[in-house]
Amino acid sequence: MNDQQLQRLSAQIGERLKQLDATVTCAESCTGGWIAKVITDISGSSAWFERGFVTYSNHAKQQLVGVQAVSLEQFGTVSEAVVREMAVGAQREAQAEFAVSVSGIAGPDGGSDDKPVGTVWFAFAAPQGKVEAYCQHFSGDREAVRRQSVAWALQTLYREFLIN
């Protein structure tokens, strides 16, 4: 998905959030703030996006969005448990109706047999305590994995949580 397509998708998300009188936040690790960047590329996005969290280090995940040390130790940074805690924590801290979180291995280093480069976990927190997590495997270089992660996160937020 190119930059223009990402911007169109972000604008659609914004329109839907305005219809719902709702806001979204994000807690990002491997995407490094790219989701927040795409959202804030849209003029007027302050009506539906107040803040995001770039929680690249484990310390930041704990300090900013309340990820538990035991989750990081037991499951690792790139795990369902951690992204669920990231999404719920971001939703709570930003007082937003929706939250998306992402943690993955963009490469070129850092992969393992269990979690190869391109493994990315996502979680989405929605009203009434709904939290869903998904694991995806992307290919390509670091830039490609990160871009695919941003696109997948925004597409899933829109399709699964905003228009259903």
Side-chain angles (χ1 to χ4, degrees), residues 3 58 68 96 113 131 133:
D3 288 348
N58 286 350
Q68 298 298 305
D113 289 341
V131 183

Side-chain angles (χ1 to χ4, degrees), residues 62-81:
Q62 292 174 287
Q63 185 179 42
L64 297 176
V65 294
V67 173
Q68 298 298 305
V70 67
S71 299
L72 291 161
E73 292 165 14
Q74 186 173 355
F75 303 108
T77 302
V78 180
S79 65
E80 179 176 359

Side-chain angles (χ1 to χ4, degrees), residues 13 23 29-30 36 38 43 48 50 68 72 76 95 106 112 115 122 128 138-139 141-142 144 156 164:
I13 288 168
T23 58
S29 188
C30 67
V38 170
S43 178
W48 45 277
E50 180 189 324
Q68 298 298 305
L72 291 161
Q95 298 178 5
S112 66
K115 297 176 187 176
F122 301 86
Q128 285 89 44
F138 301 116
S139 60
D141 63 10
R142 184 175 182 83
T156 303
N164 276 349

Side-chain angles (χ1 to χ4, degrees), residues 81-94:
V82 168
V83 293
R84 282 178 173 273
E85 290 180 26
M86 288 170 67
V88 170
Q91 182 186 39
R92 179 187 62 245
E93 294 300 322

Side-chain angles (χ1 to χ4, degrees), residues 10-82:
S10 186
Q12 289 176 308
I13 288 168
E15 286 303 313
R16 183 63 181 141
L17 286 166
K18 285 190 285 188
Q19 291 170 358
L20 296 170
D21 192 28
T23 58
V24 67
T25 187
C26 53
E28 302 181 65
S29 188
C30 67
T31 50
W34 198 341
I35 294 170
K37 182 243 187 269
V38 170
I39 288 171
T40 58
D41 280 345
I42 305 305
S43 178
S45 58
S46 61
W48 45 277
F49 183 83
E50 180 189 324
R51 73 181 85 163
F53 304 89
V54 178
T55 57
Y56 205 69
S57 72
N58 286 350
H59 179 72
K61 287 173 183 66
Q62 292 174 287
Q63 185 179 42
L64 297 176
V65 294
V67 173
Q68 298 298 305
V70 67
S71 299
L72 291 161
E73 292 165 14
Q74 186 173 355
F75 303 108
T77 302
V78 180
S79 65
E80 179 176 359
V82 168

